[in-house]
Amino acid sequence: MSKMKLIVTIVGLILFFQLNAQNSKTVAYIDQYKEIAINEMIRSGVPAAITLAQAVLESQSGESDLVKRSNNHFGIKCKPEWTGARTFHDDDAKGECFRVYDHPEASFKDHSDFLRTRAHYQFLFLLSPTDSEAWAKGLKKAGYATAPTYPQKLIKIIKDYQLDQYNTIALARIKNPVAPINEIIPTISSPAEKISVTIQEKEADAETTESETYIPNSKKNDEQQNNKYGHLNYPEGLFTINNTGVLLAKSGTSLLAIANQYNISLSKLLSYNEMNEVDILKEDQLIYVERKQKKGAQDFHIVKKGETLNEISQLTGVRLESILLYNKWNKSTLPTPGSKVYLKSPTEAKSNPNKK
């Protein structure tokens, strides 16, 4: 009996030290990649806690052969659209094709893009970014993993390693980009209260001073007039054009991240800005977080060289469909530089001849 107890004790000690060793590796792995996960949440809207939990699980805390050979932390398979380097690994079937990345950051970014660009994952981005349990169950529902206990595994990792704190840090940095990672984030008093800034709060700030409401046709110097969107004249953050909430989004910004920040769906954001299915902006652009008005603040807009109807719609805060109606044009019309584009019904504009 004593011999049996000794064996049990030895086995228990071995398991204890193995578990501690694994925990130490996981803690080190999370510490190494937490900043990437936070930045990806800000960029893409995928919760940092979910990203880290999936990375821990899929990569075995960075110890899997796939990670060591290919920097693939999420086990993302090639898929038909993948044109990068490849490796082959036994998974659901023998010798399956997996993506190879030059560095870990590329793997984390591709994971975010993988989720946000596929239609069957879009419902996830309507969930609260701090509801890790809903996200974990949603990933399983969307078919991310075949294991029936996949959500429970993610939730356990999140709880064991307190990964939810990184969601809070990411949301705080959306408000304050210089917030340090060890900042103590205050607890939200009401479950209904959102950490992310709402449109109404931003608009309230914008209405406190007249200087934060941009008037599109106000006088500018020549340098500003030649700038496509007059960037030098726009305030930072949310402001208004034609009584509509708008912001100047920089090149490389994720529209999905903007949608999440202002508590609206990506489809609505695209609709407000009369845009096709895009996410990452290729150039600086005015992005409305509310639907534009049917009429302009002024009667007309004078076309500058190179301006399109879409750009005029964004500059003036008037819906493109309304501009087409007032001017009896179609979407393919190219306005002539120096000509007038009516922002109201021509009849209404003529009834105010002194208004510029």
Side-chain angles (χ1 to χ4, degrees), residues 18-48:
Q18 285 179 338
L19 182 60
N20 273 358
Q22 181 58 40
N23 285 344
S24 297
K25 288 178 181 178
T26 301
V27 169
Y29 179 84
I30 291 167
D31 189 59
Q32 182 175 1
Y33 295 110
K34 62 190 177 186
E35 276 290 347
I36 297 176
I38 289 169
N39 290 334
E40 279 303 299
M41 181 171 177
I42 294 169
R43 184 185 74 88
S44 72
V46 179

PDB file of all heavy atoms in Angstrom, residues 18-48:
ATOM      1  N   GLN A  18       4.358  19.734 -14.282  1.00  0.00           N
ATOM      2  CA  GLN A  18       4.027  19.909 -15.696  1.00  0.00           C
ATOM      3  C   GLN A  18       2.997  21.023 -15.883  1.00  0.00           C
ATOM      4  O   GLN A  18       3.108  21.846 -16.801  1.00  0.00           O
ATOM      5  CB  GLN A  18       3.483  18.596 -16.271  1.00  0.00           C
ATOM      6  CG  GLN A  18       4.546  17.544 -16.515  1.00  0.00           C
ATOM      7  CD  GLN A  18       3.960  16.254 -17.051  1.00  0.00           C
ATOM      8  OE1 GLN A  18       2.766  15.971 -16.879  1.00  0.00           O
ATOM      9  NE2 GLN A  18       4.798  15.442 -17.698  1.00  0.00           N
ATOM     10  N   LEU A  19       1.999  21.026 -14.991  1.00  0.00           N
ATOM     11  CA  LEU A  19       0.962  22.051 -15.064  1.00  0.00           C
ATOM     12  C   LEU A  19       1.536  23.432 -14.816  1.00  0.00           C
ATOM     13  O   LEU A  19       1.216  24.403 -15.518  1.00  0.00           O
ATOM     14  CB  LEU A  19      -0.150  21.751 -14.058  1.00  0.00           C
ATOM     15  CG  LEU A  19      -1.344  22.703 -14.037  1.00  0.00           C
ATOM     16  CD1 LEU A  19      -2.033  22.723 -15.398  1.00  0.00           C
ATOM     17  CD2 LEU A  19      -2.333  22.321 -12.949  1.00  0.00           C
ATOM     18  N   ASN A  20       2.387  23.537 -13.809  1.00  0.00           N
ATOM     19  CA  ASN A  20       3.032  24.825 -13.514  1.00  0.00           C
ATOM     20  C   ASN A  20       3.895  25.295 -14.670  1.00  0.00           C
ATOM     21  O   ASN A  20       3.926  26.487 -15.002  1.00  0.00           O
ATOM     22  CB  ASN A  20       3.882  24.714 -12.243  1.00  0.00           C
ATOM     23  CG  ASN A  20       3.071  24.979 -10.992  1.00  0.00           C
ATOM     24  OD1 ASN A  20       1.882  25.277 -11.085  1.00  0.00           O
ATOM     25  ND2 ASN A  20       3.688  24.850  -9.832  1.00  0.00           N
ATOM     26  N   ALA A  21       4.610  24.348 -15.279  1.00  0.00           N
ATOM     27  CA  ALA A  21       5.452  24.703 -16.425  1.00  0.00           C
ATOM     28  C   ALA A  21       4.600  25.212 -17.580  1.00  0.00           C
ATOM     29  O   ALA A  21       4.943  26.212 -18.236  1.00  0.00           O
ATOM     30  CB  ALA A  21       6.284  23.498 -16.853  1.00  0.00           C
ATOM     31  N   GLN A  22       3.463  24.532 -17.824  1.00  0.00           N
ATOM     32  CA  GLN A  22       2.571  24.951 -18.895  1.00  0.00           C
ATOM     33  C   GLN A  22       1.966  26.317 -18.597  1.00  0.00           C
ATOM     34  O   GLN A  22       1.861  27.171 -19.481  1.00  0.00           O
ATOM     35  CB  GLN A  22       1.458  23.919 -19.098  1.00  0.00           C
ATOM     36  CG  GLN A  22       0.489  24.255 -20.219  1.00  0.00           C
ATOM     37  CD  GLN A  22       1.177  24.414 -21.553  1.00  0.00           C
ATOM     38  OE1 GLN A  22       2.093  23.645 -21.883  1.00  0.00           O
ATOM     39  NE2 GLN A  22       0.777  25.410 -22.334  1.00  0.00           N
ATOM     40  N   ASN A  23       1.560  26.528 -17.339  1.00  0.00           N
ATOM     41  CA  ASN A  23       1.003  27.832 -16.938  1.00  0.00           C
ATOM     42  C   ASN A  23       2.022  28.941 -17.149  1.00  0.00           C
ATOM     43  O   ASN A  23       1.686  30.030 -17.609  1.00  0.00           O
ATOM     44  CB  ASN A  23       0.557  27.796 -15.482  1.00  0.00           C
ATOM     45  CG  ASN A  23      -0.746  27.035 -15.297  1.00  0.00           C
ATOM     46  OD1 ASN A  23      -1.463  26.796 -16.254  1.00  0.00           O
ATOM     47  ND2 ASN A  23      -1.033  26.640 -14.074  1.00  0.00           N
ATOM     48  N   SER A  24       3.281  28.670 -16.803  1.00  0.00           N
ATOM     49  CA  SER A  24       4.330  29.677 -16.974  1.00  0.00           C
ATOM     50  C   SER A  24       4.528  30.022 -18.443  1.00  0.00           C
ATOM     51  O   SER A  24       4.706  31.187 -18.817  1.00  0.00           O
ATOM     52  CB  SER A  24       5.651  29.170 -16.379  1.00  0.00           C
ATOM     53  OG  SER A  24       5.516  28.967 -14.992  1.00  0.00           O
ATOM     54  N   LYS A  25       4.469  28.986 -19.302  1.00  0.00           N
ATOM     55  CA  LYS A  25       4.617  29.222 -20.741  1.00  0.00           C
ATOM     56  C   LYS A  25       3.446  30.044 -21.279  1.00  0.00           C
ATOM     57  O   LYS A  25       3.632  30.925 -22.116  1.00  0.00           O
ATOM     58  CB  LYS A  25       4.702  27.881 -21.478  1.00  0.00           C
ATOM     59  CG  LYS A  25       6.012  27.147 -21.272  1.00  0.00           C
ATOM     60  CD  LYS A  25       6.003  25.809 -21.991  1.00  0.00           C
ATOM     61  CE  LYS A  25       7.314  25.057 -21.765  1.00  0.00           C
ATOM     62  NZ  LYS A  25       7.303  23.716 -22.420  1.00  0.00           N
ATOM     63  N   THR A  26       2.241  29.734 -20.770  1.00  0.00           N
ATOM     64  CA  THR A  26       1.058  30.466 -21.231  1.00  0.00           C
ATOM     65  C   THR A  26       1.104  31.913 -20.797  1.00  0.00           C
ATOM     66  O   THR A  26       0.797  32.828 -21.574  1.00  0.00           O
ATOM     67  CB  THR A  26      -0.219  29.791 -20.700  1.00  0.00           C
ATOM     68  OG1 THR A  26      -0.270  28.447 -21.166  1.00  0.00           O
ATOM     69  CG2 THR A  26      -1.465  30.535 -21.185  1.00  0.00           C
ATOM     70  N   VAL A  27       1.509  32.146 -19.537  1.00  0.00           N
ATOM     71  CA  VAL A  27       1.632  33.514 -19.038  1.00  0.00           C
ATOM     72  C   VAL A  27       2.650  34.296 -19.870  1.00  0.00           C
ATOM     73  O   VAL A  27       2.413  35.452 -20.248  1.00  0.00           O
ATOM     74  CB  VAL A  27       2.033  33.518 -17.547  1.00  0.00           C
ATOM     75  CG1 VAL A  27       2.426  34.928 -17.094  1.00  0.00           C
ATOM     76  CG2 VAL A  27       0.893  32.994 -16.690  1.00  0.00           C
ATOM     77  N   ALA A  28       3.776  33.670 -20.169  1.00  0.00           N
ATOM     78  CA  ALA A  28       4.809  34.327 -20.974  1.00  0.00           C
ATOM     79  C   ALA A  28       4.305  34.602 -22.386  1.00  0.00           C
ATOM     80  O   ALA A  28       4.589  35.656 -22.974  1.00  0.00           O
ATOM     81  CB  ALA A  28       6.061  33.458 -21.015  1.00  0.00           C
ATOM     82  N   TYR A  29       3.552  33.655 -22.944  1.00  0.00           N
ATOM     83  CA  TYR A  29       3.003  33.812 -24.292  1.00  0.00           C
ATOM     84  C   TYR A  29       2.027  34.982 -24.336  1.00  0.00           C
ATOM     85  O   TYR A  29       2.091  35.822 -25.245  1.00  0.00           O
ATOM     86  CB  TYR A  29       2.304  32.513 -24.704  1.00  0.00           C
ATOM     87  CG  TYR A  29       1.680  32.562 -26.083  1.00  0.00           C
ATOM     88  CD1 TYR A  29       2.439  32.312 -27.220  1.00  0.00           C
ATOM     89  CD2 TYR A  29       0.324  32.839 -26.243  1.00  0.00           C
ATOM     90  CE1 TYR A  29       1.871  32.339 -28.484  1.00  0.00           C
ATOM     91  CE2 TYR A  29      -0.256  32.874 -27.500  1.00  0.00           C
ATOM     92  CZ  TYR A  29       0.519  32.621 -28.615  1.00  0.00           C
ATOM     93  OH  TYR A  29      -0.047  32.661 -29.873  1.00  0.00           O
ATOM     94  N   ILE A  30       1.133  35.052 -23.354  1.00  0.00           N
ATOM     95  CA  ILE A  30       0.159  36.152 -23.292  1.00  0.00           C
ATOM     96  C   ILE A  30       0.870  37.484 -23.149  1.00  0.00           C
ATOM     97  O   ILE A  30       0.524  38.472 -23.806  1.00  0.00           O
ATOM     98  CB  ILE A  30      -0.823  35.924 -22.130  1.00  0.00           C
ATOM     99  CG1 ILE A  30      -1.732  34.729 -22.443  1.00  0.00           C
ATOM    100  CG2 ILE A  30      -1.664  37.175 -21.873  1.00  0.00           C
ATOM    101  CD1 ILE A  30      -2.529  34.224 -21.255  1.00  0.00           C
ATOM    102  N   ASP A  31       1.877  37.520 -22.302  1.00  0.00           N
ATOM    103  CA  ASP A  31       2.629  38.760 -22.094  1.00  0.00           C
ATOM    104  C   ASP A  31       3.322  39.207 -23.379  1.00  0.00           C
ATOM    105  O   ASP A  31       3.421  40.405 -23.660  1.00  0.00           O
ATOM    106  CB  ASP A  31       3.662  38.550 -20.985  1.00  0.00           C
ATOM    107  CG  ASP A  31       4.327  39.851 -20.582  1.00  0.00           C
ATOM    108  OD1 ASP A  31       3.615  40.782 -20.150  1.00  0.00           O
ATOM    109  OD2 ASP A  31       5.571  39.949 -20.699  1.00  0.00           O
ATOM    110  N   GLN A  32       3.761  38.237 -24.170  1.00  0.00           N
ATOM    111  CA  GLN A  32       4.469  38.558 -25.412  1.00  0.00           C
ATOM    112  C   GLN A  32       3.540  39.137 -26.478  1.00  0.00           C
ATOM    113  O   GLN A  32       3.934  40.021 -27.243  1.00  0.00           O
ATOM    114  CB  GLN A  32       5.159  37.303 -25.948  1.00  0.00           C
ATOM    115  CG  GLN A  32       5.976  37.547 -27.221  1.00  0.00           C
ATOM    116  CD  GLN A  32       6.735  36.306 -27.652  1.00  0.00           C
ATOM    117  OE1 GLN A  32       6.648  35.243 -27.022  1.00  0.00           O
ATOM    118  NE2 GLN A  32       7.483  36.421 -28.729  1.00  0.00           N
ATOM    119  N   TYR A  33       2.282  38.650 -26.505  1.00  0.00           N
ATOM    120  CA  TYR A  33       1.398  39.015 -27.615  1.00  0.00           C
ATOM    121  C   TYR A  33       0.191  39.862 -27.219  1.00  0.00           C
ATOM    122  O   TYR A  33      -0.639  40.176 -28.070  1.00  0.00           O
ATOM    123  CB  TYR A  33       0.934  37.744 -28.331  1.00  0.00           C
ATOM    124  CG  TYR A  33       2.071  37.015 -29.001  1.00  0.00           C
ATOM    125  CD1 TYR A  33       2.519  35.792 -28.512  1.00  0.00           C
ATOM    126  CD2 TYR A  33       2.731  37.559 -30.098  1.00  0.00           C
ATOM    127  CE1 TYR A  33       3.584  35.131 -29.113  1.00  0.00           C
ATOM    128  CE2 TYR A  33       3.789  36.912 -30.704  1.00  0.00           C
ATOM    129  CZ  TYR A  33       4.210  35.694 -30.206  1.00  0.00           C
ATOM    130  OH  TYR A  33       5.265  35.053 -30.803  1.00  0.00           O
ATOM    131  N   LYS A  34       0.098  40.273 -25.959  1.00  0.00           N
ATOM    132  CA  LYS A  34      -1.078  41.036 -25.517  1.00  0.00           C
ATOM    133  C   LYS A  34      -1.192  42.375 -26.241  1.00  0.00           C
ATOM    134  O   LYS A  34      -2.292  42.809 -26.584  1.00  0.00           O
ATOM    135  CB  LYS A  34      -1.033  41.254 -24.002  1.00  0.00           C
ATOM    136  CG  LYS A  34       0.160  42.065 -23.504  1.00  0.00           C
ATOM    137  CD  LYS A  34       0.260  42.035 -21.987  1.00  0.00           C
ATOM    138  CE  LYS A  34       1.491  42.793 -21.506  1.00  0.00           C
ATOM    139  NZ  LYS A  34       1.687  42.651 -20.043  1.00  0.00           N
ATOM    140  N   GLU A  35      -0.068  43.031 -26.491  1.00  0.00           N
ATOM    141  CA  GLU A  35      -0.123  44.339 -27.168  1.00  0.00           C
ATOM    142  C   GLU A  35      -0.650  44.193 -28.585  1.00  0.00           C
ATOM    143  O   GLU A  35      -1.409  45.040 -29.062  1.00  0.00           O
ATOM    144  CB  GLU A  35       1.259  44.993 -27.185  1.00  0.00           C
ATOM    145  CG  GLU A  35       1.610  45.756 -25.922  1.00  0.00           C
ATOM    146  CD  GLU A  35       0.792  47.032 -25.760  1.00  0.00           C
ATOM    147  OE1 GLU A  35       0.134  47.451 -26.731  1.00  0.00           O
ATOM    148  OE2 GLU A  35       0.807  47.601 -24.659  1.00  0.00           O
ATOM    149  N   ILE A  36      -0.249  43.132 -29.265  1.00  0.00           N
ATOM    150  CA  ILE A  36      -0.743  42.902 -30.625  1.00  0.00           C
ATOM    151  C   ILE A  36      -2.249  42.687 -30.594  1.00  0.00           C
ATOM    152  O   ILE A  36      -2.989  43.231 -31.424  1.00  0.00           O
ATOM    153  CB  ILE A  36      -0.038  41.693 -31.261  1.00  0.00           C
ATOM    154  CG1 ILE A  36       1.464  41.959 -31.392  1.00  0.00           C
ATOM    155  CG2 ILE A  36      -0.639  41.381 -32.638  1.00  0.00           C
ATOM    156  CD1 ILE A  36       2.253  40.776 -31.923  1.00  0.00           C
ATOM    157  N   ALA A  37      -2.714  41.903 -29.628  1.00  0.00           N
ATOM    158  CA  ALA A  37      -4.153  41.628 -29.515  1.00  0.00           C
ATOM    159  C   ALA A  37      -4.937  42.898 -29.210  1.00  0.00           C
ATOM    160  O   ALA A  37      -6.026  43.117 -29.751  1.00  0.00           O
ATOM    161  CB  ALA A  37      -4.403  40.584 -28.426  1.00  0.00           C
ATOM    162  N   ILE A  38      -4.400  43.745 -28.360  1.00  0.00           N
ATOM    163  CA  ILE A  38      -5.052  45.022 -28.029  1.00  0.00           C
ATOM    164  C   ILE A  38      -5.135  45.899 -29.281  1.00  0.00           C
ATOM    165  O   ILE A  38      -6.182  46.466 -29.606  1.00  0.00           O
ATOM    166  CB  ILE A  38      -4.290  45.748 -26.906  1.00  0.00           C
ATOM    167  CG1 ILE A  38      -4.498  45.012 -25.577  1.00  0.00           C
ATOM    168  CG2 ILE A  38      -4.748  47.205 -26.781  1.00  0.00           C
ATOM    169  CD1 ILE A  38      -3.583  45.483 -24.468  1.00  0.00           C
ATOM    170  N   ASN A  39      -4.022  46.005 -29.993  1.00  0.00           N
ATOM    171  CA  ASN A  39      -4.005  46.837 -31.207  1.00  0.00           C
ATOM    172  C   ASN A  39      -4.943  46.286 -32.269  1.00  0.00           C
ATOM    173  O   ASN A  39      -5.581  47.049 -33.009  1.00  0.00           O
ATOM    174  CB  ASN A  39      -2.581  46.929 -31.755  1.00  0.00           C
ATOM    175  CG  ASN A  39      -1.678  47.761 -30.870  1.00  0.00           C
ATOM    176  OD1 ASN A  39      -2.151  48.632 -30.141  1.00  0.00           O
ATOM    177  ND2 ASN A  39      -0.386  47.490 -30.900  1.00  0.00           N
ATOM    178  N   GLU A  40      -5.047  44.963 -32.365  1.00  0.00           N
ATOM    179  CA  GLU A  40      -5.965  44.360 -33.327  1.00  0.00           C
ATOM    180  C   GLU A  40      -7.418  44.627 -32.962  1.00  0.00           C
ATOM    181  O   GLU A  40      -8.262  44.813 -33.835  1.00  0.00           O
ATOM    182  CB  GLU A  40      -5.710  42.859 -33.438  1.00  0.00           C
ATOM    183  CG  GLU A  40      -4.553  42.507 -34.349  1.00  0.00           C
ATOM    184  CD  GLU A  40      -4.738  43.064 -35.749  1.00  0.00           C
ATOM    185  OE1 GLU A  40      -5.712  42.699 -36.410  1.00  0.00           O
ATOM    186  OE2 GLU A  40      -3.915  43.896 -36.174  1.00  0.00           O
ATOM    187  N   MET A  41      -7.724  44.662 -31.660  1.00  0.00           N
ATOM    188  CA  MET A  41      -9.092  44.989 -31.246  1.00  0.00           C
ATOM    189  C   MET A  41      -9.436  46.414 -31.651  1.00  0.00           C
ATOM    190  O   MET A  41     -10.538  46.691 -32.135  1.00  0.00           O
ATOM    191  CB  MET A  41      -9.251  44.807 -29.740  1.00  0.00           C
ATOM    192  CG  MET A  41     -10.659  45.110 -29.249  1.00  0.00           C
ATOM    193  SD  MET A  41     -10.882  44.641 -27.524  1.00  0.00           S
ATOM    194  CE  MET A  41     -12.581  45.205 -27.253  1.00  0.00           C
ATOM    195  N   ILE A  42      -8.500  47.327 -31.463  1.00  0.00           N
ATOM    196  CA  ILE A  42      -8.718  48.721 -31.848  1.00  0.00           C
ATOM    197  C   ILE A  42      -8.887  48.837 -33.356  1.00  0.00           C
ATOM    198  O   ILE A  42      -9.744  49.563 -33.858  1.00  0.00           O
ATOM    199  CB  ILE A  42      -7.547  49.601 -31.356  1.00  0.00           C
ATOM    200  CG1 ILE A  42      -7.523  49.637 -29.822  1.00  0.00           C
ATOM    201  CG2 ILE A  42      -7.639  51.014 -31.931  1.00  0.00           C
ATOM    202  CD1 ILE A  42      -6.265  50.247 -29.247  1.00  0.00           C
ATOM    203  N   ARG A  43      -8.087  48.090 -34.099  1.00  0.00           N
ATOM    204  CA  ARG A  43      -8.120  48.169 -35.563  1.00  0.00           C
ATOM    205  C   ARG A  43      -9.332  47.463 -36.164  1.00  0.00           C
ATOM    206  O   ARG A  43      -9.985  47.985 -37.066  1.00  0.00           O
ATOM    207  CB  ARG A  43      -6.843  47.550 -36.152  1.00  0.00           C
ATOM    208  CG  ARG A  43      -6.731  47.654 -37.677  1.00  0.00           C
ATOM    209  CD  ARG A  43      -5.511  46.915 -38.183  1.00  0.00           C
ATOM    210  NE  ARG A  43      -5.715  45.472 -38.131  1.00  0.00           N
ATOM    211  CZ  ARG A  43      -6.271  44.756 -39.116  1.00  0.00           C
ATOM    212  NH1 ARG A  43      -6.698  45.354 -40.225  1.00  0.00           N
ATOM    213  NH2 ARG A  43      -6.408  43.458 -39.004  1.00  0.00           N
ATOM    214  N   SER A  44      -9.640  46.280 -35.636  1.00  0.00           N
ATOM    215  CA  SER A  44     -10.614  45.431 -36.311  1.00  0.00           C
ATOM    216  C   SER A  44     -11.914  45.206 -35.563  1.00  0.00           C
ATOM    217  O   SER A  44     -12.920  44.836 -36.159  1.00  0.00           O
ATOM    218  CB  SER A  44      -9.979  44.061 -36.598  1.00  0.00           C
ATOM    219  OG  SER A  44      -9.823  43.325 -35.387  1.00  0.00           O
ATOM    220  N   GLY A  45     -11.898  45.369 -34.239  1.00  0.00           N
ATOM    221  CA  GLY A  45     -13.096  45.101 -33.455  1.00  0.00           C
ATOM    222  C   GLY A  45     -13.163  43.703 -32.871  1.00  0.00           C
ATOM    223  O   GLY A  45     -14.092  43.385 -32.126  1.00  0.00           O
ATOM    224  N   VAL A  46     -12.207  42.829 -33.177  1.00  0.00           N
ATOM    225  CA  VAL A  46     -12.178  41.495 -32.577  1.00  0.00           C
ATOM    226  C   VAL A  46     -11.671  41.618 -31.148  1.00  0.00           C
ATOM    227  O   VAL A  46     -10.561  42.129 -30.930  1.00  0.00           O
ATOM    228  CB  VAL A  46     -11.271  40.534 -33.369  1.00  0.00           C
ATOM    229  CG1 VAL A  46     -11.250  39.160 -32.705  1.00  0.00           C
ATOM    230  CG2 VAL A  46     -11.732  40.431 -34.817  1.00  0.00           C
ATOM    231  N   PRO A  47     -12.428  41.199 -30.141  1.00  0.00           N
ATOM    232  CA  PRO A  47     -12.007  41.372 -28.743  1.00  0.00           C
ATOM    233  C   PRO A  47     -10.624  40.783 -28.470  1.00  0.00           C
ATOM    234  O   PRO A  47     -10.325  39.655 -28.898  1.00  0.00           O
ATOM    235  CB  PRO A  47     -13.085  40.640 -27.946  1.00  0.00           C
ATOM    236  CG  PRO A  47     -14.294  40.686 -28.824  1.00  0.00           C
ATOM    237  CD  PRO A  47     -13.766  40.578 -30.226  1.00  0.00           C
ATOM    238  N   ALA A  48      -9.801  41.530 -27.761  1.00  0.00           N
ATOM    239  CA  ALA A  48      -8.438  41.081 -27.456  1.00  0.00           C
ATOM    240  C   ALA A  48      -8.447  39.784 -26.661  1.00  0.00           C
ATOM    241  O   ALA A  48      -7.593  38.912 -26.864  1.00  0.00           O
ATOM    242  CB  ALA A  48      -7.699  42.176 -26.695  1.00  0.00           C
TER     243      ALA A  48
END
